[in-house]
Amino acid sequence: MRQTLVIIKPDAVNRCIAGKVIQRFEEKGLQIKAMKMELLQPYVLKEHYAHLKDKKFFEGLISYMASIPSMLMILEGKDAVKVVRKMVGSTQGRDAEPGTIRGDYSVSNQSNIVHASENEEAAKEEIKRFFKKEEIYEYKKMDFDWIYSRDETYMKK
Ligand code: TYD
């Protein structure tokens, strides 16, 4: 099983569609291992978006992300990083495919509803950045045996 970090961004919280976004992940079969609401501080956001620090939109991005609380989640499943990125869609909401979260709810390249870790390495780093160990829960979901086949369940990854 793999884990990935999702941030439901201020625009989604403000537009009252956070529940719809969470529902999509639940319905797909991903397991929520951790979830909280938090007003993200500029210093953490600057670390999180360090790869964009030379971009013109950097300061605007930080102040938008720090404007009202976000909802943060750790999702777990087989190939969770890839699965979630695919569900989220491309950065620019206007280009994102219908059926993806951004494609269905966003027409912006900043107010684009969610952040999802880009790859396995980023996921590990981001989970550590935003969650303490004791905020992450180990539990077996009732429907687990129906979400994956037996063969998949016994394979480690
Ligand atoms: P990036 O890591 O390129 O994309 P993604 O979120 O799809 O992994 O960009 C991070 C965030 O930066 C993006 O979700 C929104 C913001 N952003 C802007 O504010 N303006 C822009 O022109 C772009 C390209 C991104």
Side-chain angles (χ1 to χ4, degrees), residues 1 31 140-149 153:
M1 291 291 164
Q31 183 175 10
K140 186 177 172 183
K141 256 170 97 230
M142 199 173 62
D143 59 0
F144 184 82
D145 294 332
W146 299 98
I147 297 233
Y148 296 106
S149 70
T153 305

Side-chain angles (χ1 to χ4, degrees), residues 58-95:
F58 184 71
E59 288 304 326
L61 172 63
I62 302 300
S63 64
Y64 144 71
M65 286 293 292
S67 60
I68 65 160
S70 293
M71 293 175 72
L72 294 93
M73 316 165 72
I74 298 173
L75 297 175
E76 186 176 282
K78 291 197 177 286
D79 297 322
V81 173
K82 199 171 74 186
V83 168
V84 170
R85 285 288 288 193
K86 215 162 184 183
M87 289 178 75
V88 166
S90 40
T91 310
Q92 168 60 268
R94 296 194 289 281
D95 293 334

Side-chain angles (χ1 to χ4, degrees), residues 9 49 51-52 57 61 85 91 102 109-110 112 115-116:
K9 296 181 176 183
Y49 284 125
H51 61 293
L52 300 170
F57 58 81
L61 172 63
R85 285 288 288 193
T91 310
R102 287 169 173 169
N109 67 0
Q110 181 171 94
N112 58 5
H115 163 81

Side-chain angles (χ1 to χ4, degrees), residues 85-125:
R85 285 288 288 193
K86 215 162 184 183
M87 289 178 75
V88 166
S90 40
T91 310
Q92 168 60 268
R94 296 194 289 281
D95 293 334
E97 288 291 318
T100 64
I101 293 169
R102 287 169 173 169
D104 288 350
Y105 296 122
S106 164
V107 283
S108 166
N109 67 0
Q110 181 171 94
S111 293
N112 58 5
I113 316 292
V114 270
H115 163 81
S117 307
E118 189 173 4
N119 52 47
E120 301 284 341
E121 201 190 330
K124 284 202 181 97
E125 223 174 85

